[in-house]
Amino acid sequence: MTSGRPVIVVSRLDDATSDLVVEELNRRHVPVIRLDPGDFPEEVAVSVVVGGWGLDGELRTPSRSTDPTRARSVYWRRPSPYTAPAGVTGQDARWCREQARYGLGGILCSLPGAYYLNHPWQNQQAEHKPAQLATAVRCDFDVPPTLMTNVLSTARKFAEEHGPVVYKPLRNTEYRDADRGALTVWVDEVKAADLDGGVAQTMHLFQKLIPTVAHLRVTAVGGEIFSVRIDGSPGLDWRRHYEELSYTLVSTPPRLAHRIERYLKVFGLTFGAFDFGIDRDGRTWWFECNPNGQYAWFPEPITRRIVRAVADRLQHAGEPYAP
């Protein structure tokens, strides 16, 4: 049984970002228990008793056990989907998955006194692009003209009036080809003539293309804000060209920092990874905020600073801390 109030890290095992945070907490001798809800029930066991005294119980993984109700903080990263036991299929499998989601998931989301970075319910709200866009406008960010629609004629008219425009997925969900190879739907330019009846089959997001000279990735951890200028992208979606990019840690303009703080407050977030584009006039355009964005791919000196900020929040349970 883990001694001391642990940090619970909820993420899949191949999450490099969680690896770095766990290593930093281990270096500080902070007890950590890491689990992936996708491993439940075969490798994760949980028992929680509710009585007049409150909650207590036990959470066990193959290597650790703890009373989850004593957790000091929860780092909710990139968990796998809930699963059913091997051999359970169809309606029975769906039942098992839903019981796990509302049972184990409900416990992990309701730990008394625990500090969450971020709470998964806040993450879920902040992942919806329409809510992001509406909030960004409320917080006075510069937001490109954007259309969300499943009406072909409306999409074509928008492309004609605001062209060039780009298409962006409303959410990056798992997408695979016939051979089960992973596919990624990138941000790409579209013309009115390119649009066809497929627009009517689901929701689409179109946005006026902003010619950029650089991008800005801003990672906010509580009151600390880390702004990284990204140069060298030869295309619209810089995520396609990691090896060709350069990263420079820069100062965050006070007005931008203030808007970021307002945005996080609206959603109740402690952490957020913001993407901006910088145009030829130096104007900073808001593109999106990932409430659970990655940062392990930055050069090590930049990543290390963000990891330390995250570990500070988890170790000190959200209290102000000066290392």
Side-chain angles (χ1 to χ4, degrees), residues 281-308:
D281 298 322
R283 189 175 180 182
T284 300
W285 292 87
W286 186 94
F287 290 153
E288 70 171 327
C289 174
N290 187 337
N292 212 356
Q294 304 278 21
Y295 50 87
W297 46 271
F298 285 130
E300 194 273 339
I302 297 174
T303 296
R304 183 173 65 248
R305 293 184 61 174
I306 301 174
V307 167
R308 287 176 176 171

mmCIF file of all heavy atoms in Angstrom, residues 281-308:
data_model
loop_
_atom_site.group_PDB
_atom_site.id
_atom_site.type_symbol
_atom_site.label_atom_id
_atom_site.label_comp_id
_atom_site.label_asym_id
_atom_site.label_seq_id
_atom_site.Cartn_x
_atom_site.Cartn_y
_atom_site.Cartn_z
ATOM 1 N N ASP A 281 1.435 41.148 -40.110
ATOM 2 C CA ASP A 281 1.364 42.399 -39.364
ATOM 3 C C ASP A 281 1.633 42.209 -37.871
ATOM 4 O O ASP A 281 1.514 43.156 -37.093
ATOM 5 C CB ASP A 281 -0.014 43.042 -39.548
ATOM 6 C CG ASP A 281 -0.287 43.394 -41.011
ATOM 7 O OD1 ASP A 281 0.651 43.833 -41.698
ATOM 8 O OD2 ASP A 281 -1.438 43.211 -41.447
ATOM 9 N N GLY A 282 1.947 40.968 -37.474
ATOM 10 C CA GLY A 282 2.208 40.692 -36.067
ATOM 11 C C GLY A 282 0.959 40.437 -35.248
ATOM 12 O O GLY A 282 1.025 40.304 -34.021
ATOM 13 N N ARG A 283 -0.183 40.355 -35.916
ATOM 14 C CA ARG A 283 -1.445 40.093 -35.212
ATOM 15 C C ARG A 283 -1.528 38.614 -34.839
ATOM 16 O O ARG A 283 -1.205 37.734 -35.648
ATOM 17 C CB ARG A 283 -2.621 40.485 -36.101
ATOM 18 C CG ARG A 283 -3.990 40.461 -35.429
ATOM 19 C CD ARG A 283 -5.039 40.982 -36.408
ATOM 20 N NE ARG A 283 -6.372 40.979 -35.830
ATOM 21 C CZ ARG A 283 -7.467 41.346 -36.503
ATOM 22 N NH1 ARG A 283 -7.346 41.774 -37.777
ATOM 23 N NH2 ARG A 283 -8.656 41.315 -35.931
ATOM 24 N N THR A 284 -1.986 38.331 -33.623
ATOM 25 C CA THR A 284 -2.053 36.966 -33.122
ATOM 26 C C THR A 284 -3.492 36.462 -33.216
ATOM 27 O O THR A 284 -4.398 37.027 -32.596
ATOM 28 C CB THR A 284 -1.566 36.895 -31.657
ATOM 29 O OG1 THR A 284 -0.211 37.362 -31.592
ATOM 30 C CG2 THR A 284 -1.613 35.470 -31.131
ATOM 31 N N TRP A 285 -3.687 35.382 -33.982
ATOM 32 C CA TRP A 285 -5.015 34.824 -34.228
ATOM 33 C C TRP A 285 -5.218 33.546 -33.429
ATOM 34 O O TRP A 285 -4.362 32.660 -33.445
ATOM 35 C CB TRP A 285 -5.198 34.525 -35.715
ATOM 36 C CG TRP A 285 -5.242 35.745 -36.575
ATOM 37 C CD1 TRP A 285 -4.184 36.412 -37.126
ATOM 38 C CD2 TRP A 285 -6.410 36.458 -36.963
ATOM 39 N NE1 TRP A 285 -4.616 37.493 -37.838
ATOM 40 C CE2 TRP A 285 -5.992 37.547 -37.764
ATOM 41 C CE3 TRP A 285 -7.775 36.282 -36.734
ATOM 42 C CZ2 TRP A 285 -6.889 38.453 -38.318
ATOM 43 C CZ3 TRP A 285 -8.676 37.182 -37.287
ATOM 44 C CH2 TRP A 285 -8.225 38.262 -38.074
ATOM 45 N N TRP A 286 -6.352 33.457 -32.754
ATOM 46 C CA TRP A 286 -6.699 32.272 -31.973
ATOM 47 C C TRP A 286 -7.184 31.167 -32.897
ATOM 48 O O TRP A 286 -8.061 31.385 -33.732
ATOM 49 C CB TRP A 286 -7.796 32.632 -30.978
ATOM 50 C CG TRP A 286 -8.153 31.525 -30.012
ATOM 51 C CD1 TRP A 286 -7.653 31.328 -28.765
ATOM 52 C CD2 TRP A 286 -9.124 30.490 -30.218
ATOM 53 N NE1 TRP A 286 -8.251 30.229 -28.182
ATOM 54 C CE2 TRP A 286 -9.152 29.689 -29.056
ATOM 55 C CE3 TRP A 286 -9.968 30.155 -31.276
ATOM 56 C CZ2 TRP A 286 -9.990 28.589 -28.920
ATOM 57 C CZ3 TRP A 286 -10.797 29.047 -31.144
ATOM 58 C CH2 TRP A 286 -10.801 28.286 -29.975
ATOM 59 N N PHE A 287 -6.621 29.953 -32.754
ATOM 60 C CA PHE A 287 -7.072 28.804 -33.536
ATOM 61 C C PHE A 287 -7.794 27.768 -32.671
ATOM 62 O O PHE A 287 -8.845 27.273 -33.035
ATOM 63 C CB PHE A 287 -5.903 28.151 -34.261
ATOM 64 C CG PHE A 287 -5.336 28.985 -35.383
ATOM 65 C CD1 PHE A 287 -4.011 28.864 -35.768
ATOM 66 C CD2 PHE A 287 -6.125 29.898 -36.057
ATOM 67 C CE1 PHE A 287 -3.485 29.618 -36.794
ATOM 68 C CE2 PHE A 287 -5.614 30.677 -37.093
ATOM 69 C CZ PHE A 287 -4.291 30.536 -37.463
ATOM 70 N N GLU A 288 -7.235 27.419 -31.529
ATOM 71 C CA GLU A 288 -7.912 26.464 -30.656
ATOM 72 C C GLU A 288 -7.209 26.394 -29.310
ATOM 73 O O GLU A 288 -6.102 26.908 -29.133
ATOM 74 C CB GLU A 288 -7.953 25.065 -31.278
ATOM 75 C CG GLU A 288 -6.616 24.362 -31.352
ATOM 76 C CD GLU A 288 -6.761 22.902 -31.780
ATOM 77 O OE1 GLU A 288 -7.780 22.273 -31.441
ATOM 78 O OE2 GLU A 288 -5.848 22.403 -32.450
ATOM 79 N N CYS A 289 -7.860 25.740 -28.346
ATOM 80 C CA CYS A 289 -7.247 25.416 -27.061
ATOM 81 C C CYS A 289 -7.532 23.957 -26.756
ATOM 82 O O CYS A 289 -8.696 23.557 -26.645
ATOM 83 C CB CYS A 289 -7.783 26.296 -25.937
ATOM 84 S SG CYS A 289 -7.157 25.790 -24.305
ATOM 85 N N ASN A 290 -6.480 23.178 -26.638
ATOM 86 C CA ASN A 290 -6.614 21.772 -26.237
ATOM 87 C C ASN A 290 -6.469 21.717 -24.721
ATOM 88 O O ASN A 290 -5.400 22.030 -24.194
ATOM 89 C CB ASN A 290 -5.538 20.928 -26.917
ATOM 90 C CG ASN A 290 -5.729 19.444 -26.663
ATOM 91 O OD1 ASN A 290 -6.363 19.041 -25.691
ATOM 92 N ND2 ASN A 290 -5.172 18.623 -27.533
ATOM 93 N N PRO A 291 -7.525 21.342 -23.982
ATOM 94 C CA PRO A 291 -7.415 21.332 -22.526
ATOM 95 C C PRO A 291 -6.511 20.235 -21.992
ATOM 96 O O PRO A 291 -6.236 20.197 -20.791
ATOM 97 C CB PRO A 291 -8.865 21.116 -22.070
ATOM 98 C CG PRO A 291 -9.493 20.360 -23.195
ATOM 99 C CD PRO A 291 -8.852 20.911 -24.432
ATOM 100 N N ASN A 292 -6.037 19.377 -22.886
ATOM 101 C CA ASN A 292 -5.167 18.276 -22.465
ATOM 102 C C ASN A 292 -4.046 18.087 -23.479
ATOM 103 O O ASN A 292 -3.699 16.955 -23.827
ATOM 104 C CB ASN A 292 -5.981 16.991 -22.316
ATOM 105 C CG ASN A 292 -5.444 16.086 -21.239
ATOM 106 O OD1 ASN A 292 -4.416 16.360 -20.633
ATOM 107 N ND2 ASN A 292 -6.128 14.987 -20.999
ATOM 108 N N GLY A 293 -3.490 19.187 -23.965
ATOM 109 C CA GLY A 293 -2.520 19.136 -25.049
ATOM 110 C C GLY A 293 -1.162 18.578 -24.636
ATOM 111 O O GLY A 293 -0.783 18.585 -23.469
ATOM 112 N N GLN A 294 -0.428 18.116 -25.638
ATOM 113 C CA GLN A 294 0.898 17.544 -25.432
ATOM 114 C C GLN A 294 1.943 18.649 -25.274
ATOM 115 O O GLN A 294 1.760 19.769 -25.758
ATOM 116 C CB GLN A 294 1.286 16.668 -26.629
ATOM 117 C CG GLN A 294 0.299 15.567 -26.951
ATOM 118 C CD GLN A 294 0.488 14.341 -26.073
ATOM 119 O OE1 GLN A 294 1.076 14.407 -24.993
ATOM 120 N NE2 GLN A 294 -0.038 13.219 -26.526
ATOM 121 N N TYR A 295 3.045 18.296 -24.625
ATOM 122 C CA TYR A 295 4.179 19.221 -24.553
ATOM 123 C C TYR A 295 5.510 18.485 -24.478
ATOM 124 O O TYR A 295 6.563 19.111 -24.422
ATOM 125 C CB TYR A 295 4.048 20.167 -23.345
ATOM 126 C CG TYR A 295 3.753 19.483 -22.026
ATOM 127 C CD1 TYR A 295 4.768 18.999 -21.222
ATOM 128 C CD2 TYR A 295 2.437 19.334 -21.601
ATOM 129 C CE1 TYR A 295 4.482 18.376 -20.012
ATOM 130 C CE2 TYR A 295 2.151 18.714 -20.395
ATOM 131 C CZ TYR A 295 3.172 18.239 -19.604
ATOM 132 O OH TYR A 295 2.880 17.619 -18.409
ATOM 133 N N ALA A 296 5.485 17.162 -24.534
ATOM 134 C CA ALA A 296 6.727 16.395 -24.437
ATOM 135 C C ALA A 296 7.555 16.470 -25.719
ATOM 136 O O ALA A 296 8.717 16.059 -25.720
ATOM 137 C CB ALA A 296 6.428 14.933 -24.091
ATOM 138 N N TRP A 297 7.005 17.000 -26.797
ATOM 139 C CA TRP A 297 7.721 17.045 -28.069
ATOM 140 C C TRP A 297 8.562 18.316 -28.228
ATOM 141 O O TRP A 297 9.306 18.452 -29.198
ATOM 142 C CB TRP A 297 6.724 16.951 -29.238
ATOM 143 C CG TRP A 297 5.538 17.834 -29.098
ATOM 144 C CD1 TRP A 297 4.363 17.524 -28.486
ATOM 145 C CD2 TRP A 297 5.398 19.182 -29.554
ATOM 146 N NE1 TRP A 297 3.504 18.608 -28.542
ATOM 147 C CE2 TRP A 297 4.102 19.623 -29.182
ATOM 148 C CE3 TRP A 297 6.243 20.052 -30.240
ATOM 149 C CZ2 TRP A 297 3.631 20.898 -29.478
ATOM 150 C CZ3 TRP A 297 5.772 21.324 -30.534
ATOM 151 C CH2 TRP A 297 4.486 21.729 -30.155
ATOM 152 N N PHE A 298 8.460 19.251 -27.286
ATOM 153 C CA PHE A 298 9.316 20.430 -27.329
ATOM 154 C C PHE A 298 10.771 20.031 -27.069
ATOM 155 O O PHE A 298 11.033 18.972 -26.480
ATOM 156 C CB PHE A 298 8.898 21.443 -26.269
ATOM 157 C CG PHE A 298 7.655 22.221 -26.575
ATOM 158 C CD1 PHE A 298 6.639 22.326 -25.634
ATOM 159 C CD2 PHE A 298 7.503 22.869 -27.787
ATOM 160 C CE1 PHE A 298 5.490 23.048 -25.898
ATOM 161 C CE2 PHE A 298 6.362 23.601 -28.070
ATOM 162 C CZ PHE A 298 5.351 23.681 -27.120
ATOM 163 N N PRO A 299 11.726 20.872 -27.442
ATOM 164 C CA PRO A 299 13.108 20.639 -27.012
ATOM 165 C C PRO A 299 13.174 20.503 -25.496
ATOM 166 O O PRO A 299 12.409 21.152 -24.762
ATOM 167 C CB PRO A 299 13.845 21.877 -27.513
ATOM 168 C CG PRO A 299 13.035 22.362 -28.676
ATOM 169 C CD PRO A 299 11.599 22.063 -28.316
ATOM 170 N N GLU A 300 14.083 19.677 -25.015
ATOM 171 C CA GLU A 300 14.127 19.301 -23.600
ATOM 172 C C GLU A 300 14.121 20.484 -22.634
ATOM 173 O O GLU A 300 13.394 20.442 -21.611
ATOM 174 C CB GLU A 300 15.350 18.410 -23.351
ATOM 175 C CG GLU A 300 15.338 17.695 -22.019
ATOM 176 C CD GLU A 300 15.939 18.531 -20.904
ATOM 177 O OE1 GLU A 300 16.700 19.474 -21.230
ATOM 178 O OE2 GLU A 300 15.643 18.262 -19.730
ATOM 179 N N PRO A 301 14.865 21.568 -22.881
ATOM 180 C CA PRO A 301 14.829 22.684 -21.914
ATOM 181 C C PRO A 301 13.438 23.286 -21.743
ATOM 182 O O PRO A 301 13.074 23.707 -20.634
ATOM 183 C CB PRO A 301 15.808 23.696 -22.512
ATOM 184 C CG PRO A 301 16.729 22.877 -23.361
ATOM 185 C CD PRO A 301 15.853 21.813 -23.941
ATOM 186 N N ILE A 302 12.651 23.348 -22.827
ATOM 187 C CA ILE A 302 11.296 23.895 -22.735
ATOM 188 C C ILE A 302 10.382 22.895 -22.043
ATOM 189 O O ILE A 302 9.627 23.238 -21.126
ATOM 190 C CB ILE A 302 10.759 24.254 -24.137
ATOM 191 C CG1 ILE A 302 11.617 25.343 -24.782
ATOM 192 C CG2 ILE A 302 9.297 24.695 -24.048
ATOM 193 C CD1 ILE A 302 11.244 25.650 -26.218
ATOM 194 N N THR A 303 10.447 21.643 -22.485
ATOM 195 C CA THR A 303 9.607 20.611 -21.880
ATOM 196 C C THR A 303 9.859 20.514 -20.385
ATOM 197 O O THR A 303 8.918 20.380 -19.583
ATOM 198 C CB THR A 303 9.868 19.254 -22.545
ATOM 199 O OG1 THR A 303 9.477 19.321 -23.921
ATOM 200 C CG2 THR A 303 9.081 18.146 -21.872
ATOM 201 N N ARG A 304 11.128 20.584 -19.978
ATOM 202 C CA ARG A 304 11.472 20.431 -18.569
ATOM 203 C C ARG A 304 10.789 21.492 -17.710
ATOM 204 O O ARG A 304 10.297 21.207 -16.609
ATOM 205 C CB ARG A 304 12.985 20.515 -18.379
ATOM 206 C CG ARG A 304 13.429 20.296 -16.927
ATOM 207 C CD ARG A 304 14.943 20.209 -16.804
ATOM 208 N NE ARG A 304 15.596 21.463 -17.151
ATOM 209 C CZ ARG A 304 16.357 21.642 -18.225
ATOM 210 N NH1 ARG A 304 16.561 20.639 -19.068
ATOM 211 N NH2 ARG A 304 16.916 22.815 -18.466
ATOM 212 N N ARG A 305 10.713 22.724 -18.210
ATOM 213 C CA ARG A 305 10.082 23.794 -17.439
ATOM 214 C C ARG A 305 8.588 23.534 -17.264
ATOM 215 O O ARG A 305 8.029 23.772 -16.187
ATOM 216 C CB ARG A 305 10.309 25.139 -18.127
ATOM 217 C CG ARG A 305 11.762 25.579 -18.134
ATOM 218 C CD ARG A 305 11.943 26.962 -18.727
ATOM 219 N NE ARG A 305 11.229 27.982 -17.960
ATOM 220 C CZ ARG A 305 11.319 29.282 -18.208
ATOM 221 N NH1 ARG A 305 12.079 29.718 -19.208
ATOM 222 N NH2 ARG A 305 10.647 30.149 -17.473
ATOM 223 N N ILE A 306 7.930 23.037 -18.310
ATOM 224 C CA ILE A 306 6.499 22.753 -18.206
ATOM 225 C C ILE A 306 6.262 21.568 -17.281
ATOM 226 O O ILE A 306 5.340 21.582 -16.451
ATOM 227 C CB ILE A 306 5.902 22.500 -19.599
ATOM 228 C CG1 ILE A 306 6.101 23.728 -20.500
ATOM 229 C CG2 ILE A 306 4.414 22.162 -19.489
ATOM 230 C CD1 ILE A 306 5.678 23.524 -21.938
ATOM 231 N N VAL A 307 7.087 20.539 -17.399
ATOM 232 C CA VAL A 307 6.960 19.371 -16.523
ATOM 233 C C VAL A 307 7.083 19.785 -15.061
ATOM 234 O O VAL A 307 6.308 19.342 -14.195
ATOM 235 C CB VAL A 307 8.021 18.311 -16.877
ATOM 236 C CG1 VAL A 307 8.113 17.239 -15.784
ATOM 237 C CG2 VAL A 307 7.701 17.661 -18.214
ATOM 238 N N ARG A 308 8.038 20.637 -14.762
ATOM 239 C CA ARG A 308 8.208 21.092 -13.378
ATOM 240 C C ARG A 308 6.990 21.859 -12.893
ATOM 241 O O ARG A 308 6.574 21.714 -11.732
ATOM 242 C CB ARG A 308 9.464 21.953 -13.276
ATOM 243 C CG ARG A 308 10.770 21.171 -13.366
ATOM 244 C CD ARG A 308 11.959 22.099 -13.366
ATOM 245 N NE ARG A 308 13.228 21.358 -13.349
ATOM 246 C CZ ARG A 308 14.418 21.909 -13.522
ATOM 247 N NH1 ARG A 308 14.508 23.233 -13.727
ATOM 248 N NH2 ARG A 308 15.503 21.174 -13.497
#
